[in-house]
Structures are given as C-alpha cells and as structure tokens.
C-alpha cells in the first residue's frame, strides 16, 4: 500500500472542495495500475462525497446540509462558533471515507462524478486528507 497525506485549505466558509486533481496526481506519483484508492479525512467535522461539481450540485449539497443540520443552539456540543455542534454530526451523514476503483491508473468514476471534501466547519480553515492506493 502507498499512502500520502495532503493539506487542503478550506478557509472560513462552508465548502465542497473537489479533490480530483490531488487524487490524480497521487495516483501518478505511485504509478498506480489497477486497485483501490481510499480517501480518508481524519477530522471529526468533515466528510467526503462523490458528487457532480460546477453545475450547482455542490451548492445544493451545502444548502441541504444547512437544512438538515441548522447552525443554531440546539446542539449539545457547544464549543466553537454558534451551531458548531452540527459540524460534529456531519460525518454521520457525509462519511469521512471513500473508496474508488482504479483501472489502469485512473479513477473509475462516472462522467460527472468528483471526489470532494465537504467541510462545514468554519472554525478550522486547514484540513488533512489521506490518500492510499491498494494495488489489485
């Protein structure tokens, strides 16, 4: 298995960050053939989604999360900015892991699919993402 941790700067706004370029660069760097790419976010307040980006779906996802997990005072977990407790519930809905088949060194994603970091925690502007390739 080959593995690497990358840093992603998400800033102080909710974001769906496309990791496609980083994943492709990693697969090239390990001379990937066939296997699995595992993507892992070692954070209690971020997740990974395979979703279309650039056509509004990424904004729709953030809007749906705001509706499902309002940024208000209902949450028992209360440190950080107002409503931060909802960020700790996010990984139960948007998991912190994804496994993507790799064929011939390329992710076997559908035409409009992208691997994305989903970060609603505005208190943490820098995220780590672990990329691991398991050869087939």
């Amino acid at each position: 298995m080959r593995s690497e941790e990358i840093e992603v700067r998400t800033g102080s706004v909710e974001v769906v960050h496309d990791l496609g370029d980083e994943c492709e660069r990693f697969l090239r760097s390990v001379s990937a053939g066939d296997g699995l790419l595992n993507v892992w976010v070692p954070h209690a307040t971020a997740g990974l989604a395979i979703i279309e980006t650039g056509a509004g779906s990424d904004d729709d996802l953030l809007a749906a999360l705001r509706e499902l997990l309002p940024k208000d005072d209902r949450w028992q977990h209360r440190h950080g900015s107002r409503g931060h407790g909802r960020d700790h519930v996010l990984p139960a809905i948007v998991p912190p892991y994804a496994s993507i088949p790799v064929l011939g060194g390329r992710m076997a994603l559908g035409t409009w699919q992208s691997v994305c970091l989903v970060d609603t925690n505005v208190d943490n502007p820098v995220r780590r993402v672990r990329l691991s390739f398991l050869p087939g």
Side-chain angles (χ1 to χ4, degrees), residues 5-11 15 41-47 84 87 90 117-130:
E5 190 172 84
I6 62 171
E7 185 177 277
V8 177
R9 296 193 173 275
T10 56
V15 67
V41 181
H43 296 282
T45 58
H84 174 66
D87 300 324
L90 174 78
L117 171 66
V118 179
D119 187 3
T120 59
N121 181 358
V122 299
D123 295 336
N124 190 350
V126 179
R127 296 303 186 149
R128 294 175 294 128
V129 177
R130 176 152 304 276

Side-chain angles (χ1 to χ4, degrees), residues 50-64:
I50 298 183
I51 188 172
E52 178 181 9
T53 61
S57 296
D58 36 359
D59 291 330
D60 289 342
L61 173 58
L62 291 174

